[in-house]
Amino acid sequence: MALQTARTPLESYGTSTHGSLLLLLLGLGWMLPSRAQAADTGLGLTTPWLQHTSRDQSWPQPELTVIIPRAWRGTEKKACPPGRKAQVVDEKLVFYEEWELEACVDGALLAAQMDRVNLIPFTYQHLHIFKRKLDKFYPQGYPESLIQHLRYFFLSVTPEDIYKWNVTSLETVKSLLEVSKGHKMDAQVAALIARYVVRGGQLDKATLETLATLHPTYLCRLSPEQLGSMSLNVVWVTRPQDLDACSPQQIAVLYPKARIVFKNMTGSEYFENIKPYLGGAPMEDLRALSQQNINMDLATFKKLQTEAVLPLTIAEVQKLLGPNLVGLKAEKGNSLVQDWISRQSQDDLDSLGLGLHGGIPNGYLVLDFNVREALSGGPHLLGPGPVLIVTSNLLLAFILS
Ligand SMILES: *[C@@H]1O[C@H](CO)[C@@H](O)[C@H](O)[C@H]1NC(C)=O
Ligand SMILES: *[C@@H]1O[C@H](CO)[C@@H](O)[C@H](O)[C@H]1NC(C)=O
């Protein structure tokens, strides 16, 4: 009988590998070459050879169904056993083996019944399989209709997944924020907020309050207005690195909050805390800081607002930087440092003994911008840079010489 004879050569292979088995099946003409090609991974079978063998079918077809399932066991993706295909997401799936979940549940079902997925106590392994199925089903990212129903499944997604999403509903953002509470989901939350605000989404007061209690890695993605309406709590949970990507406008909004939060601290404790926000500090506050012996580092100095630094005197900057003052010399390329130097008297700079050049030569004075504009009859007529006016003494000396 055909079935009997068909088994013999296969049994004799015993522990045959997937590859040799594949060859054998092909040789026997039992597999369609296209299937074999898809299944084969390491043999490099060429199409002409496959075409040749496929024409040479010497065995009848019925044996195929008997032998292939035996041969494939444990080596390739298995088919869903009859009657096990999931039509609904329900408790029965908890008792499925992982390979059965893989074979019998599809992404479309999971997407349609996400609410049910969240009601059933699936293990992390189960959820991991579901996640893979969904990702395969939506390679471009989940649609918002699914995101709205994600709930606890949100805990399984990565920031990279979220950056593919379009989120336009504040309700969705809120529900996912709620889910993420108490889990280490900062990066996911940051991504979610980013995807929401990038499409013009507005955050309400309550949401901003919630955000203010998480590590705000998303801070720099909020507009200055949104930052402005966040509570002071946000300062307590903000780490310096959360501010790295913020613009001066954003820092300017956060600075007054930080100032209030840290106002009970003094000296170096205050300075260390307020430091990441100082890019938003006005001149008066820098002046006050210069009295506190804080020895500001140059990296912080260079991030200060130009308008806040330019009016500072040499003595004030000297006090602000302390021993770090010597570092100014190396900052030739920094426009803030150069602008400030260009407003100081060269004599006074020389008295620092640091070799700082570019100050105002003795006998000249700098006119305030407003005076300059008044004199020139309007802005921008004189071009950038301070205006040097020869003082009367020098003029006199010139005339008399
Ligand atoms: C998000 O929106 C963009 C532009 O409208 C679209 O191209 C993209 O496919 C959308 N992505 C998803 C996951 O819906
Ligand atoms: C500052 O200290 C006072 C008294 O110690 C306290 O009542 C107040 O709440 C503190 N303020 C802040 C912002 O911590």
Side-chain angles (χ1 to χ4, degrees):
M1 207 182 146
L3 188 64
Q4 292 294 323
T5 29
R7 267 189 183 156
T8 317
L10 276 179
E11 303 278 320
S12 69
Y13 266 77
T15 58
S16 79
T17 64
H18 170 184
S20 51
L21 188 56
L22 186 60
L23 266 179
L24 180 64
L25 291 172
L26 282 165
L28 296 174
W30 284 354
M31 276 189 85
L32 295 176
S34 60
R35 295 272 306 267
Q37 213 169 15
D40 173 60
T41 47
L43 288 175
L45 301 176
T46 58
T47 316
W49 187 81
L50 285 168
Q51 280 163 352
H52 169 76
T53 54
S54 67
R55 265 182 254 114
D56 184 21
Q57 297 202 351
S58 49
W59 292 86
Q61 288 294 319
E63 279 75 28
L64 191 66
T65 51
V66 180
I67 290 170
I68 286 183
R70 282 173 57 90
W72 283 153
R73 196 167 300 151
T75 61
E76 273 295 320
K77 216 173 135 180
K78 288 174 236 175
C80 183
R84 298 287 277 172
K85 179 91 186 150
Q87 306 297 337
V88 288
V89 172
D90 61 14
E91 290 78 2
K92 284 197 213 101
L93 295 182
V94 174
F95 303 103
Y96 274 43
E97 290 193 44
E98 287 177 22
W99 71 266
E100 282 183 297
L101 285 181
E102 196 79 62
C104 304
V105 180
D106 61 39
L109 177 70
L110 292 169
Q113 304 197 359
M114 185 47 72
D115 291 335
R116 303 184 64 106
V117 172
N118 281 314
L119 289 175
I120 298 166
F122 290 114
T123 65
Y124 284 120
Q125 281 80 0
H126 295 153
L127 293 174
H128 189 70
I129 292 169
F130 293 166
K131 165 82 168 31
R132 266 211 316 270
K133 300 240 136 204
L134 279 174
D135 290 354
K136 229 181 191 158
F137 193 66
Y138 294 116
Q140 313 297 326
Y142 303 170
E144 190 156 8
S145 55
L146 170 58
I147 300 168
Q148 274 164 1
H149 293 275
L150 274 190
R151 298 287 297 158
Y152 293 99
F153 202 79
F154 183 60
L155 300 176
S156 304
V157 304
T158 66
E160 291 69 38
D161 298 326
I162 298 170
Y163 280 114
K164 293 183 189 164
W165 298 356
N166 295 322
V167 184
T168 58
S169 146
L170 181 60
E171 284 317 304
T172 303
V173 171
K174 287 176 153 195
S175 96
L176 298 180
L177 280 184
E178 194 59 36
V179 165
S180 72
K181 269 188 193 164
H183 297 88
K184 295 209 177 311
M185 300 281 289
D186 294 353
Q188 282 88 339
V189 167
L192 179 67
I193 296 299
R195 293 306 294 161
Y196 177 66
V197 300
V198 81
R199 296 182 78 90
Q202 298 296 310
L203 295 165
D204 64 6
K205 190 97 183 111
T207 310
L208 289 167
E209 284 302 318
T210 308
L211 286 176
T213 64
L214 301 165
H215 269 318
T217 49
Y218 52 80
L219 263 195
C220 302
R221 298 193 182 261
L222 300 182
S223 68
E225 293 71 35
Q226 287 166 335
L227 290 175
S229 49
M230 291 185 94
S231 74
L232 296 178
N233 288 336
V234 72
V235 174
W236 287 116
V237 290
T238 299
R239 301 156 303 175
Q241 65 265 34
D242 299 330
L243 301 170
D244 282 350
C246 284
S247 68
Q249 290 78 7
Q250 290 167 311
I251 294 290
V253 173
L254 292 171
Y255 172 77
K257 293 183 194 291
R259 195 170 177 274
I260 295 171
V261 166
F262 302 133
K263 73 165 185 275
N264 277 5
M265 303 175 180
T266 54
S268 60
E269 187 193 14
Y270 175 75
F271 175 62
E272 284 310 317
N273 281 287
I274 201 78
K275 198 157 89 169
Y277 301 88
L278 283 178
M283 187 258 292
E284 304 78 52
D285 289 7
L286 296 180
R287 213 161 246 167
L289 266 182
S290 74
Q291 304 302 317
Q292 309 245 336
N293 234 350
I294 49 151
N295 302 333
M296 182 184 287
D297 53 280
L298 274 177
T300 305
F301 184 76
K302 288 191 288 182
K303 285 191 195 149
L304 300 176
Q305 300 184 85
T306 308
E307 315 85 79
V309 170
L310 292 187
L312 297 181
T313 65
I314 290 185
E316 283 163 346
V317 169
Q318 192 172 14
K319 275 190 174 157
L320 194 61
L321 299 182
N324 298 323
L325 186 73
V326 295
L328 284 183
K329 174 110 172 85
E331 297 298 339
K332 282 202 167 61
N334 183 273
S335 61
L336 170 65
V337 172
Q338 290 314 310
D339 279 1
W340 178 76
I341 286 179
S342 72
R343 281 161 188 262
Q344 313 308 315
S345 127
Q346 186 60 48
D347 277 359
D348 292 346
L349 288 174
D350 289 345
S351 71
L352 293 174
L354 297 174
L356 295 176
H357 298 297
I360 305 160
N362 190 23
Y364 289 76
L365 64 79
V366 170
L367 279 189
D368 181 79
F369 276 103
N370 299 328
V371 178
R372 179 180 129 201
E373 283 172 11
L375 276 185
S376 63
H380 312 307
L381 290 180
L382 291 177
V387 185
L388 302 184
I389 299 289
V390 183
T391 60
S392 51
N393 279 350
L394 199 72
L395 254 186
L396 202 60
F398 183 73
I399 292 165
L400 293 178
S401 67

